[in-house]
Amino acid sequence: MTSGSQVLVRPARNVRGSVVLPGDKSISHRYAMLAGVASGLSRLENYSTGADCASTLACMRALGAGWEQKENVIEVQGSGLSLAAPTRALDCGNSGSTMRMLSGIVAAQNFTSEMVGDESLSRRPMERVIKPLTAMGAQISSQQGKPPLRITGAQLKAIDYKIPVASAQVKSCLLFAGLFADGETRIEEPLRTRDHGEVALRAFGAQLERKSLGAGSEVRIRGGQSLRGVEARIPGDLSSAAFFLCAAALFPESQLAIPHLLMNPTRARLLDVLMQMGLRISVTQLDQVNGEMVGSLQIQGGELKGITIAGADSAALIDEIPVLAAIAPYTEQGIEVRDAKELRVKESDRIAAVATNLRRMGATVDEREDGLRIPGQQALHGAEIDSFSDHRIAMAFAIAALRADGETLIQGAEAAAISHPAFFQALEEVAER
Ligand code: S3P
């Protein structure tokens, strides 16, 4: 099935079975970073197997936080709030989360760190963290706002900061920095984004205050609090589940089970949207683990109606839009995406990547600066797809391929390993032919 970096995906007639997903990527990054600056041992079960989360662990080791893998558990020996000066550049690989969130921690250390990334990460905007961290007292140089970053840490001062563009990575970066700062840091976000940073800080023993502010929110954290290690089982990644949920949505007879999945309300908008589109989803064994909701899903196919994603939904569904857009031609009324300009500065320009690949499969697509309009009731044919070295594009088009006429060749399929190394095997297991 896999040859080098290409994967051939054949059409399916149904999706059936059960999928176990890697630990949530957003939570894994945050736990690894906080475990590194906590005191004592943390045990992180079901830590994401994705290459991005391995980048975070490698950076933490370079900063003196030792860890060991024991079967499905990563044991991190916390260093307390002071890390060790790295002897070489911190390699964040493809991971924007690693660079942006870890910059909030290294900005508070009494040494200089260099943070580098791969070609894709080297093109991504970092001013969003450089500006507020500089205002807190760190010295940061960059290549016109892009990586590599050279960060000279300082005793930070608290900040009162309104984040201009909704970003959970920026929010977490500043909360992490705020933990080390003198005084109380207050962060305001224009739209509510995923709250794993806040939930994780509490799980590690920090106190913070949160309040809704219209469609957004405010978080306050006092500096100088110490963290203690945790025992955690990381729930399955909801953004990885999105590919399988969309696969199930393609066939009325689908029957899929997904155990132990993250159900955090700031991430679960996808489930509402898919139910509005006609997928039947029931949740059992709902539970809370270290402040995060977890549940098991039973999914049944149904109709496949169209939808419009705009405003706060675009921020809430930012990682799931590529796969929703990739199945849009098969919906009854099509899908329109607006207010999603951030997609242009992800691992690839995801608006352009989706439009290019859908057209290769024969679809009509209207590409716009901040989104896409994709008419429904279109038949697609198999084609050669380019992942643009972006995991979510590779996986989104493997899903679109399931209902196409003929085979689809995904070039650059290895990108899937960034978040879900076993993706293609897992898909083969549930795709009935
Ligand atoms: C993430 C936040 C989102 C998302 C990314 C993970 C996080 O990025 O796209 O995959 O874990 O906080 P932004 O915060 O830049 O929107």
Side-chain angles (χ1 to χ4, degrees), residues 12 23 31 37 52 72 94 104 110 139 150 176-177 188 199 207 244 267 277 308 315 322 370 374 397 416:
Y31 279 6
V37 292
D52 267 8
N72 192 24
N94 190 243
N110 64 0
Q139 275 180 44
R150 196 180 154 80
F176 293 177
E188 198 180 311
V199 172
Q207 283 179 11
F244 296 91
R267 293 280 295 285
M277 290 170 71
T308 296
D370 70 338
I374 304 154
F397 283 87

Side-chain angles (χ1 to χ4, degrees), residues 17-31:
S18 168
V19 206
V20 176
L21 294 160
D24 187 71
K25 184 157 98 66
S26 293
I27 297 178
S28 295
H29 284 302
R30 287 164 172 86
Y31 279 6

Side-chain angles (χ1 to χ4, degrees), residues 37-208:
V37 292
S39 4
L41 189 74
S42 289
R43 292 186 81 257
L44 310 179
E45 190 181 336
N46 199 36
Y47 186 84
S48 166
T49 49
D52 267 8
C53 296
S55 293
T56 290
L57 279 177
C59 289
M60 294 315 292
R61 173 164 283 155
L63 288 162
W67 54 266
E68 254 188 289
Q69 175 151 19
K70 294 183 178 164
E71 290 173 4
N72 192 24
V73 177
I74 306 282
E75 278 189 6
V76 185
Q77 192 58 60
S79 294
L81 293 178
S82 303
L83 293 168
T87 54
R88 55 198 145 69
L90 299 170
D91 187 354
C92 303
N94 190 243
S95 175
S97 297
T98 307
M99 190 172 286
R100 295 195 180 125
M101 296 195 284
L102 192 55
S103 64
I105 293 177
V106 297
Q109 304 296 319
N110 64 0
F111 50 75
T112 296
S113 329
E114 198 181 352
M115 303 184 98
V116 299
D118 69 4
E119 212 186 307
S120 147
L121 183 52
S122 302
R123 287 193 300 265
R124 297 183 64 187
M126 294 295 148
E127 326 85 62
R128 50 186 73 191
V129 293
I130 296 174
K131 193 172 160 229
L133 289 175
T134 304
M136 292 176 88
Q139 275 180 44
I140 307 182
S141 64
S142 66
Q143 310 303 305
Q144 276 131 25
K146 309 222 160 112
L149 302 184
R150 196 180 154 80
I151 304 184
T152 301
Q155 177 51 53
L156 301 178
K157 309 179 284 289
I159 194 175
D160 184 335
Y161 190 70
K162 205 166 165 176
I163 300 177
V165 177
S167 164
Q169 293 175 352
V170 175
K171 178 174 57 169
S172 288
C173 163
L174 299 179
L175 290 174
F176 293 177
L179 185 67
F180 295 85
D182 285 332
E184 187 185 69
T185 290
R186 178 181 169 276
I187 310 295
E188 198 180 311
E189 57 178 351
L191 294 174
R192 206 161 304 125
T193 62
R194 62 190 78 190
D195 64 357
H196 305 300
E198 296 91 304
V199 172
L201 278 161
R202 280 194 177 145
F204 280 83
Q207 283 179 11
L208 42 84

